[in-house]
Amino acid sequence: VYAATVLVSLALMVFGIYPLAMRLFTRIRYLTFLKAIMPAQLMAFTTSSSAATLPVTIDCVEKNLGIKEEISSFVLPLGATINMDGTSIHQAVSAVFIAQVFGNDLTIADQLMIILTATLSSIGAAAVPSAGLVTLVIVLGAIGVSPEGLALIIAVDRPLDMCRTVVNITGDTVVASVVATTEGGFAKSE
């Protein structure tokens, strides 16, 4: 149930929030966008590293989406460093799950603290495999839950890490597309 919750949450981001952002801020059709970044998503899935995927992501947005190098070479490395939507979602779901297993009732203040610390710690997470597990300790500490709870999720973390990395780089490319649209950063017509 935990793994399914994480996967559904990540899917909502990729198939709900990102398409909405693309529709509101760009003229790029979302299916065209997904087809254009598919090689980067596959690389992200197999490596679980936004940093290792970066050259492929840059290549996809420049060649397949037509985003200028000035935009891609700034936005994508920055995104690979601080834009970790998938990691933030994973940390929030994991913290709630571990707290529930340990029988901790989470108050509204605790839930808000999870949101805040998951967001902030995901920004500080390295763009390498399973870095989100390390920063999850910060989130658990903020709500008074023992980090020993990580043992409950570590067995399923690798496939979840693969999926959250796909979400992370998809978010980076959405941001690059929005910036390119607002700044006239397309080398060819959309």
Side-chain angles (χ1 to χ4, degrees), residues 81-129:
T81 305
I82 64 172
N83 184 31
M84 304 282 190
D85 300 338
T87 302
S88 184
I89 291 167
H90 167 261
Q91 289 180 347
V93 172
S94 297
V96 170
F97 170 74
I98 293 169
Q100 288 177 341
V101 167
F102 285 157
N104 295 13
D105 288 328
L106 297 174
T107 65
I108 294 295
D110 289 334
Q111 294 173 38
L112 291 173
M113 184 60 71
I114 289 171
I115 292 169
L116 178 67
T117 56
T119 302
L120 293 175
S121 68
S122 69
I123 290 170
V128 296

Side-chain angles (χ1 to χ4, degrees), residues 131-142:
L133 276 182
V134 176
T135 57
L136 180 56
V137 172
I138 298 167
V139 179
L140 294 174

Side-chain angles (χ1 to χ4, degrees), residues 14-31 33 174 177-178 181 190:
V14 172
F15 298 111
I17 303 299
Y18 293 155
L20 181 62
M22 292 293 285
R23 185 176 184 99
L24 291 174
F25 300 109
T26 74
R27 287 170 270 145
I28 303 169
R29 296 174 58 114
Y30 195 65
L31 287 178
F33 169 79
V174 166
S177 299
V178 170
T181 299
E190 300 171 39

Side-chain angles (χ1 to χ4, degrees), residues 9 35 39 78 82 91 139 146 148 150 156 159-160 164 175-176 184 187:
S9 301
K35 189 176 179 181
L78 185 62
I82 64 172
Q91 289 180 347
V139 179
S146 172
E148 295 168 351
L150 290 175
V156 295
L160 295 178
R164 53 182 193 257
V175 171

Side-chain angles (χ1 to χ4, degrees), residues 33-110:
F33 169 79
L34 287 178
K35 189 176 179 181
I37 66 164
M38 181 81 61
Q41 289 177 318
L42 289 173
M43 177 68 99
F45 186 77
T46 57
T47 64
S48 295
S49 171
S50 299
T53 306
L54 190 55
V56 177
T57 307
I58 290 172
D59 189 57
C60 285
V61 299
E62 289 177 3
K63 291 182 180 170
N64 300 343
L65 292 174
I67 295 175
K68 291 181 183 175
E69 182 186 357
E70 300 87 54
I71 303 285
S72 67
S73 64
F74 177 75
V75 173
L76 294 174
L78 185 62
T81 305
I82 64 172
N83 184 31
M84 304 282 190
D85 300 338
T87 302
S88 184
I89 291 167
H90 167 261
Q91 289 180 347
V93 172
S94 297
V96 170
F97 170 74
I98 293 169
Q100 288 177 341
V101 167
F102 285 157
N104 295 13
D105 288 328
L106 297 174
T107 65
I108 294 295
D110 289 334

